Amino acid sequence: MDAKKYYIETYGCQMNQADSELIAGLLQDVCYRPTSNPENADIILINSCSVRENADRRAIARLSQFKSLKKSKPELLLGLIGCVAQRDQGAILTDKKYVDLILGPDTYRNLPEIISQAQIPYVDVNLSRTEVYDDLVPIRSSTVNAWVSIMRGCNKFCSFCIVPYLRGRERSRSPLSIVNEIKKALKDGHKEVTLLGQNVNSYHYAEYRFPELLEAVAAIPNLRRIRFTSPHPRDVNEQMLEVMRSHPNICKQIHLPLQAGSSRILKLMNRTYDQEHYLRVVEMIRTYLPQAAITTDIIVGFPDETSDDFEQTLEVMRAVKFDTAFMFKYSPRVGTKAAEMDDNIPEEEKSRRLKVVIQLQKKHTLERNKSLVGTIQEILIDGSSKKNPAEMSGRTDTNKIVVLKEGRSQIGEFCRVKIEEAVGVSLFGKIT
Ligand code: SAH
Ligand code: SF4
Ligand code: F3S
């Protein structure tokens, strides 16, 4: 008999990607094999994101698309997992009776048992104070980068954000299990690790805080690239920057979500820093790591954001000149503090502000990238160019994509590349 097959579709942040890899590991343990075609699958899982309303909609629409497949193949198991499952708590089953599994992010461990017992429909959205999945072995989708989740959950409760309600309280994984997982990933041929957490730098396990963990990871022999995401500006300190400075294998890139430039809005957002503090953190980063890329997240159109508040977001952007940014229109999430406020910035105005930040960011990205033209960068090849699959591409230490116009290379190889051109958001170069 052919092995049963699984198909997982993943939305949202890297934590979700890492979770999907853990689930793949669990399913392979009970002899399931992956398929890239949902029509061949015995189990389909949609690992969903609920951070903004359109993310929610996408997950639900995707489920609906599998309705006819489920009809023609009743033994197929169709599951909604992740953050939309956690938010929905099973209510979706009244409307979508063809869905079999609703699993929140802390309940994946039992998946093999659930499917073997076929207690359908099955809903489990319990959040855990301790689950970190530290003994599970992921099946990784990239051969180059290994996602390694070091903590789960979030205690920050930014007023706009649904994540703390869906991912539960912060809990960290032991340094030993993290280091062991990374050593195994290296043995398996991975070249880079990315430490993951909703609030990666609030990591705390016994006497280990984030800087101590980073140090322990940096000491792993033959590990040439370490990344981490996402840190919170409140938890960036000199000790963390000192560890980054003293270890060449810790990549010089920091994602530092700004959200808004106005201190008044930051207060309403419960971000626990103001504009001045944020700019001080940036200055500290520039002092310790002058070459570092700083990237960010920005929300426009938060309740009561005046044009003066918005102008301050632009001012901070001009002052920092982020390398790249993820930019979003504010989307109220039921259950959060901000959802109780009046969502009073009209949709057209949110769109206008979004356009303005995107345009400004494009200019800054190009400026930053142009400053690299003429330099030699070490890049790690991780795929091929989207525009021209014949051209290989890789990433610099600062996480910028470089497309190779000349020279042969293989996925997983480190190459020295002369940067020749910066166009749009891309860099182009040739192997030296
Ligand atoms: N834990 C991470 C990010 C989590 S969500 C951190 O704090 O950096 C990723 C990004 O989505 C956030 O940084 C924020 O910019 C955006 N986001 C979260 N909730 C949102 C909402 N309700 N509307 C619009 N954007 C939101
Ligand atoms: Fe959400 Fe804020 Fe926690 Fe990030 S730090 S996950 S934005 S509540
Ligand atoms: Fe989305 Fe959940 Fe991640 S809401 S951003 S998938 S934590």
Side-chain angles (χ1 to χ4, degrees):
M1 205 179 87
D2 283 349
K4 291 204 169 184
K5 299 210 169 60
Y6 67 87
Y7 172 82
I8 308 178
E9 218 167 78
T10 309
Y11 298 91
C13 61
Q14 291 97 335
M15 295 291 288
N16 257 17
Q17 293 185 35
D19 285 353
S20 288
E21 295 182 354
L22 290 177
I23 293 167
L26 279 168
L27 290 171
Q28 298 218 16
D29 276 351
V30 290
C31 298
Y32 275 74
R33 291 291 164 262
T35 174
S36 53
N37 179 359
E39 294 189 6
N40 295 336
D42 299 281
I43 179 166
I44 294 178
L45 298 172
I46 311 292
N47 193 359
S48 57
C49 170
S50 185
V51 77
R52 283 167 293 277
E53 198 186 334
N54 54 7
D56 260 24
R57 266 201 237 113
R58 195 172 311 141
I60 306 295
R62 209 47 196 135
L63 270 184
S64 306
Q65 284 167 3
F66 288 121
K67 182 177 180 182
S68 57
L69 185 61
K70 172 79 194 175
K71 234 183 187 159
S72 65
K73 201 173 162 186
E75 71 283 7
L76 166 72
L77 288 177
L78 178 59
L80 175 66
I81 64 173
C83 292
V84 178
Q86 187 65 40
R87 193 183 61 80
D88 174 79
Q89 310 255 313
I92 208 170
L93 291 172
T94 39
D95 187 44
K96 296 190 177 351
K97 297 204 168 44
Y98 54 92
V99 177
D100 303 300
L101 302 170
I102 306 277
L103 296 177
D106 285 347
T107 68
Y108 302 146
R109 185 181 287 281
N110 302 329
L111 190 59
E113 223 175 280
I114 296 163
I115 56 183
S116 74
Q117 295 174 0
Q119 311 158 317
I120 302 302
Y122 188 91
V123 180
D124 188 354
V125 289
N126 286 313
L127 285 175
S128 163
R129 288 200 167 254
T130 52
E131 181 63 274
V132 285
Y133 298 127
D134 57 345
D135 52 330
L136 300 191
V137 183
I139 303 285
R140 302 188 191 278
S141 49
S142 160
T143 54
V144 179
N145 176 64
W147 305 115
V148 176
S149 152
I150 64 164
M151 54 88 69
R152 295 178 75 86
C154 177
N155 292 350
K156 290 276 195 296
F157 288 92
C158 302
S159 67
F160 52 80
C161 185
I162 193 78
V163 169
Y165 303 91
L166 304 181
R167 292 273 172 170
R169 296 294 61 76
E170 281 180 7
R171 62 222 107 113
S172 296
R173 199 177 150 185
S174 81
L176 186 66
S177 82
I178 295 167
V179 167
N180 283 342
E181 180 176 341
I182 296 172
K183 284 184 176 161
K184 179 172 184 311
L186 285 177
K187 246 194 215 145
D188 293 343
H190 295 275
K191 307 288 183 205
E192 173 185 279
V193 299
T194 306
L195 308 177
L196 293 181
Q198 282 304 339
N199 254 301
V200 79
N201 55 342
S202 28
Y203 177 87
H204 188 191
Y205 189 98
E207 71 276 25
Y208 279 75
R209 300 230 172 221
F210 188 63
E212 285 87 13
L213 179 76
L214 259 189
E215 191 124 53
V217 171
I220 297 175
N222 301 319
L223 177 53
R224 285 175 67 177
R225 278 196 176 183
I226 302 157
R227 301 189 185 283
F228 57 86
T229 200
S230 290
H232 192 286
R234 187 30 82 187
D235 300 322
V236 172
N237 56 28
E238 299 204 37
Q239 197 194 348
M240 170 185 139
L241 298 174
E242 181 53 42
V243 173
M244 289 181 76
R245 173 163 68 184
S246 52
H247 294 278
N249 58 352
I250 305 178
C251 294
K252 304 302 180 267
Q253 183 231 331
I254 299 188
H255 188 65
L256 199 68
L258 167 67
Q259 314 300 5
S262 142
S263 295
R264 189 179 76 85
I265 296 293
L266 286 169
K267 188 143 204 251
L268 291 174
M269 287 179 161
N270 192 30
R271 284 294 287 179
T272 68
Y273 55 83
D274 56 10
Q275 183 192 96
E276 200 190 340
H277 179 89
Y278 186 91
L279 290 173
R280 249 200 327 269
V281 173
V282 170
E283 213 177 279
M284 210 157 79
I285 296 173
R286 298 268 188 242
T287 308
Y288 276 84
L289 313 165
Q291 306 302 330
I294 303 180
T295 59
T296 201
D297 293 346
I298 288 169
I299 297 177
V300 300
F302 187 80
D304 287 342
E305 185 188 66
T306 62
S307 29
D308 178 56
D309 291 319
F310 176 62
E311 185 50 43
Q312 292 188 50
T313 296
L314 301 178
E315 263 173 39
V316 175
M317 288 175 76
R318 285 188 206 103
V320 180
K321 288 211 172 73
F322 296 106
D323 289 84
T324 58
F326 296 110
M327 296 157 279
F328 311 103
K329 285 192 256 186
Y330 169 68
S331 163
R333 309 307 287 136
V334 175
T336 61
K337 272 270 173 301
E340 292 162 19
M341 303 170 68
D342 190 10
D343 179 20
N344 54 6
I345 310 300
E347 188 54 30
E348 315 82 74
E349 181 57 15
K350 283 185 188 168
S351 300
R352 191 193 67 81
R353 290 181 191 180
L354 184 65
K355 242 195 215 151
V356 174
V357 288
I358 290 176
Q359 227 159 31
L360 182 61
Q361 185 51 49
K362 268 193 183 152
K363 184 171 148 250
H364 291 160
T365 298
L366 186 61
E367 254 175 64
R368 285 270 176 225
N369 286 354
K370 278 198 164 148
S371 73
L372 293 182
V373 171
T375 65
I376 307 267
Q377 300 285 325
E378 182 180 64
I379 75 164
L380 171 56
I381 307 292
D382 59 3
S384 51
S385 147
K386 279 202 187 101
K387 284 206 181 116
N388 181 356
E391 292 169 348
M392 298 304 278
S393 76
R395 285 176 187 266
T396 62
D397 175 90
T398 51
N399 212 22
K400 291 176 188 287
I401 297 177
V402 181
V403 176
L404 290 182
K405 285 307 207 188
E406 267 176 57
R408 292 169 68 83
S409 62
Q410 280 180 351
I411 289 185
E413 202 181 321
F414 286 92
C415 307
R416 279 169 60 81
V417 171
K418 171 120 192 244
I419 307 296
E420 299 197 309
E421 225 188 338
V423 185
V425 294
S426 307
L427 285 167
F428 297 88
K430 66 173 185 203
I431 291 183
T432 58

